[in-house]
Amino acid sequence: MKESGRTGIILAGMIGGALLGGVFAWLSSARKDEDGETALETIGPAEYFQLGIGVLTLARQFQSLLQRKL
């Protein structure tokens, strides 16, 4: 694969990830509970850890999917 094609793919992934992250942040900041706290303020460390494991699992599945196609 040419270097310019790889650079384009990486930039597209970065832009897509930034947009997805922005949507998640917008959705989570828009929700407030009865105390006026946002959803992000009510999430504890265990939930963040669980979310991180989920993201790493998704990345691993994506990598294995790409390796099967080669």
Side-chain angles (χ1 to χ4, degrees), residues 1-14:
M1 177 186 278
K2 294 182 180 179
E3 188 64 33
S4 63
R6 182 178 177 182
T7 303
I9 290 171
I10 291 171
L11 286 175
M14 289 171 56

Side-chain angles (χ1 to χ4, degrees), residues 4-57:
S4 63
R6 182 178 177 182
T7 303
I9 290 171
I10 291 171
L11 286 175
M14 289 171 56
I15 291 170
L19 289 174
L20 186 62
V23 168
F24 285 159
W26 177 68
L27 288 173
S28 65
S29 67
R31 298 185 56 182
K32 293 187 179 220
D33 62 3
E34 59 274 354
D35 297 335
E37 292 182 329
T38 62
L40 284 178
E41 294 171 336
T42 60
I43 295 175
E47 286 88 9
Y48 280 115
F49 182 74
Q50 202 171 22
L51 181 61
I53 295 296
V55 169
L56 291 174
T57 302

Side-chain angles (χ1 to χ4, degrees), residues 55-70:
V55 169
L56 291 174
T57 302
L58 178 63
R60 183 175 166 214
Q61 288 176 343
F62 185 68
Q63 180 186 17
S64 69
L65 175 71
L66 292 176
Q67 286 180 348
R68 277 189 255 145
K69 296 290 181 182
L70 295 176

